[in-house]
Amino acid sequence: MKLILPAFGLYAAFAMSSRADADREVRLSTLSGVVQVGEHMLGTDDEAAMLSRSQSGSTDAVSRGQIEASDVVLIVEPSTAFAIERLHPLRVRLFEGSLLFKGSVVISTNAGVMEASPGSGVLRMTTRDVDVAVSEGAVAFYDSHARVVVSPQETLHAPLPAMPTTPN
């Protein structure tokens, strides 16, 4: 009995978190050009696509998209690659490009994790660095060494960690 109750508790917690993700609607629509989601291409005349966890997307050099949930809107700028890591609360992985955010969202990058709850601004990632500019609310940025709070009208610049070189 001592083993069954903890196992049941873990199962119940997992079932409730899976249900919360399943009930969360996250939609992607195209604002201009074409947005790729998995193997599908969305144009401006197409209906919004429902995103699921672990689904990837990207925009080309002239396209913009919009990711929308009940409490957050992300504008996906041209030349941006991303993946949905979690639906509730929304967590997006940014591989490259820029996301404009408004609401409560967590965005992961190679340099660290940005958490807005709620807030608005822009997160830009290049091959060398990450920049966070905040227009409303306070945004926290975590890396392996520290937590930095970025206030409105402030900008944070974080260099990406150097990639290890392979010995010859």
Side-chain angles (χ1 to χ4, degrees):
M1 191 66 152
K2 288 181 182 181
L3 295 175
I4 293 174
L5 288 177
F8 180 74
L10 287 173
Y11 173 76
F14 176 74
M16 288 189 321
S17 69
S18 296
R19 173 121 170 102
D21 269 2
D23 290 344
R24 175 77 172 219
E25 287 188 358
V26 177
R27 298 169 297 285
L28 174 69
S29 56
T30 303
L31 299 175
S32 65
V34 176
V35 176
Q36 183 173 348
V37 181
E39 298 175 4
H40 307 289
M41 302 291 266
L42 289 176
T44 52
D45 295 335
D46 295 328
E47 288 187 27
M50 295 303 212
L51 293 175
S52 60
R53 193 166 156 184
S54 302
Q55 192 166 23
S56 309
S58 63
T59 56
D60 62 23
V62 296
S63 301
R64 295 177 83 198
Q66 177 173 303
I67 298 173
E68 189 176 8
S70 60
D71 59 347
V72 66
V73 174
L74 295 173
I75 303 297
V76 183
E77 290 292 293
S79 301
T80 298
F82 64 91
I84 303 299
E85 292 184 326
R86 188 173 60 215
L87 299 179
H88 192 303
L90 183 61
R91 184 175 182 133
V92 177
R93 175 77 178 178
L94 180 62
F95 297 107
E96 65 180 334
S98 298
L99 294 173
L100 282 73
F101 59 90
K102 181 170 179 79
S104 298
V105 65
V106 177
I107 303 173
S108 303
T109 69
N110 289 347
V113 177
M114 186 210 77
E115 184 177 313
S117 57
S120 65
V122 63
L123 176 71
R124 182 183 61 84
M125 182 173 163
T126 66
T127 55
R128 294 182 304 226
D129 52 24
V130 171
D131 291 311
V132 179
V134 178
S135 52
E136 292 179 355
V139 171
F141 189 84
Y142 304 86
D143 66 10
S144 59
H145 305 292
R147 175 183 184 265
V148 177
V149 175
V150 186
S151 299
Q153 311 308 318
E154 290 183 347
T155 303
L156 170 74
H157 177 81
L160 290 176
M163 297 300 288
T165 58
T166 56
N168 291 341

